[in-house]
Amino acid sequence: VYLLFQALRQISQRTINTASRRQYVNRVSENQKLFQEDNGLPVHLKGGAKDSLLYRATTGLTVFGTMYALYYLLVSSMPKKPN
Amino acid sequence: MAHQAHSYHMVDPSPWPILGASAALLTTSGLTMWFHFHSPYLLIMGLTSTALVMLQWWRDVVRESTFQGHHTPTVQKGLRYGMVLFITSEAFFFLGFFWAFFHSSLAPTPELGGQWPPVGIKPLNPMEVPLLNTAILLASGVTVTWAHHSITEARRKQAIFALTLTVLLGFYFTALQAMEYYEAPFSIADGVYGSTFFVATGFHGLHVIIGSTFLSVCLLRLIKYHFTSNHHFGFEAAAWYWHFVDVVWLFLYIAIYWWGS
């Protein structure tokens, strides 16, 4: 069992090393290339499809919320009709 | 491709300012709906949209600076002015609450029993958890300065270590304050003592959370190699804000916790 444990320790250490090496690699120059591409996209959409999705979600939520707020503003401004 | 003949940053058209304004509308009207009509949905929409706008706007600033190179020394100077002015406005914000505290505590009314702390209020012992919190924030001021020096000396591992310590100290402060709030023998509804105590320390706590978040984002950017040894204004802005939060706590501790007990 002790030998198995040692093996597991060595494997996990090696995996963590590779994983952290992958994470800590300097990707700044790749990003610089991506965001300086001459494609006419504004910076808030220049990252790709994820940007558009997030933008649409934010706009959708905000526009819906604004209409909701205006509706309740109108409703609460009206006098309550007594029966 | 056209090139500019000046060192300023003419930003791309962006939806975040107007969406941010709408988010503020949803948040404030949401508060009204929650307080008066017991409906939290508009408030939830407001807070969510505010968070989404903040995330994307600041993400875009990182893209414009680190990835597109728009932050020339001229632009950086403007950002420095901006951050200084913002922190100054926050200082005035807290000044108001300190004014309220001294207004009520320097001349306690007969309704309070003519004394401060008022009759029936058992204040927290300033030599217990509040003193520990003071030590924590002072230590975090040291660690954030250490992180800054490490960045300018291009010592990556040391910078990451020092900034991580700073963030952890910030979280420790927040956890301790939350526990203090839970265990306190008085509440916000306990007269003017409760109001001044919880509004002043509460807004301070909110600023600690904001500062810790700002520092955490800087830690993430530090790990991702965004900062260079002579261009790291995002970190400097976070450090200034953090020192400001520390100073406000020192005033709170001396005035409300110590003198006021």
Side-chain angles (χ1 to χ4, degrees):
Chain A
V1 172
Y2 179 70
L3 287 170
L4 281 168
F5 175 71
Q6 287 283 67
L8 178 67
R9 229 180 96 219
Q10 281 177 1
I11 294 168
S12 59
Q13 278 180 340
R14 221 179 294 138
T15 322
I16 289 167
N17 270 336
T18 334
S20 56
R21 238 185 283 134
R22 252 187 283 122
Q23 276 165 19
Y24 294 170
V25 135
N26 190 338
R27 291 194 201 284
V28 172
S29 40
E30 291 168 34
N31 277 314
Q32 284 171 337
K33 195 160 159 274
L34 170 68
F35 288 103
Q36 289 178 39
E37 218 183 290
D38 195 5
N39 52 23
L41 284 174
V43 72
H44 68 280
L45 296 170
K46 219 168 166 99
K50 236 175 77 181
D51 285 2
S52 317
L53 186 67
L54 205 53
Y55 165 67
R56 266 186 259 236
T58 310
T59 311
L61 178 64
T62 313
V63 166
F64 172 72
T66 306
M67 296 200 288
Y68 187 98
L70 289 172
Y71 169 72
Y72 272 102
L73 185 63
L74 282 163
V75 163
S76 39
S77 323
M78 293 294 129
K80 215 171 153 215
K81 274 195 290 237
N83 277 337
Chain B
M1 201 165 77
H3 286 107
Q4 61 188 46
H6 59 82
S7 55
Y8 295 94
H9 181 197
M10 302 301 287
V11 294
D12 291 340
S14 170
W16 310 130
I18 189 142
L19 291 182
S22 312
L25 170 70
L26 299 190
T27 310
T28 47
S29 51
L31 269 176
T32 310
M33 289 299 289
W34 187 44
F35 287 161
H36 294 278
F37 304 110
H38 301 286
S39 173
Y41 302 112
L42 198 53
L43 179 60
I44 292 167
M45 280 194 270
L47 291 172
T48 312
S49 49
T50 307
L52 282 170
V53 168
M54 284 182 178
L55 214 124
Q56 292 171 94
W57 194 333
W58 282 320
R59 173 207 67 189
D60 288 354
V61 175
V62 170
R63 288 178 177 180
E64 289 160 1
S65 55
T66 308
F67 304 146
Q68 293 183 333
H70 284 296
H71 285 198
T72 62
T74 313
V75 171
Q76 213 192 112
K77 196 158 173 233
L79 291 170
R80 284 173 190 275
Y81 274 126
M83 194 65 195
V84 165
L85 289 171
F86 174 64
I87 292 176
T88 308
S89 77
E90 295 252 78
F92 280 108
F93 179 72
F94 278 100
L95 194 70
F97 296 119
F98 276 102
W99 186 336
F101 169 73
F102 283 117
H103 174 94
S104 300
S105 58
L106 283 168
T109 61
E111 288 87 349
L112 304 173
Q115 65 179 49
W116 193 275
V119 171
I121 294 283
K122 193 170 161 290
L124 299 170
N125 186 345
M127 296 302 153
E128 291 180 357
V129 175
L131 185 61
L132 174 60
N133 273 341
T134 306
I136 289 169
L137 284 185
L138 287 173
S140 70
V142 169
T143 53
V144 79
T145 308
W146 178 24
H148 192 192
H149 283 260
S150 307
I151 291 173
T152 49
E153 290 166 22
R155 291 179 199 270
R156 180 180 158 79
K157 279 207 179 102
Q158 214 177 92
I160 291 172
F161 181 63
L163 188 50
T164 306
L165 263 183
T166 312
V167 171
L168 287 175
L169 285 168
F171 287 161
Y172 189 27
F173 176 94
T174 304
L176 283 170
Q177 267 299 65
M179 185 214 69
E180 281 281 274
Y181 268 33
Y182 185 72
E183 301 283 343
F186 53 87
S187 80
I188 197 172
D190 285 322
V192 75
Y193 184 89
S195 302
T196 49
F197 179 88
F198 283 107
V199 169
T201 61
F203 271 119
H204 175 260
L206 177 65
H207 284 70
V208 170
I209 292 168
I210 292 169
S212 301
T213 310
F214 195 172
L215 287 168
S216 303
V217 170
C218 285
L219 179 57
L220 193 65
R221 293 187 66 203
L222 177 62
I223 292 171
K224 286 166 167 256
Y225 298 90
H226 286 198
F227 299 136
T228 70
S229 55
N230 48 23
H231 190 169
H232 44 264
F233 177 65
F235 172 81
E236 288 183 68
W240 290 351
Y241 195 80
W242 192 250
H243 286 304
F244 162 71
V245 159
D246 189 5
V247 168
V248 169
W249 171 259
L250 293 174
F251 280 103
L252 276 176
Y253 180 71
I254 291 171
I256 296 182
Y257 282 92
W258 198 351
W259 177 85
S261 69

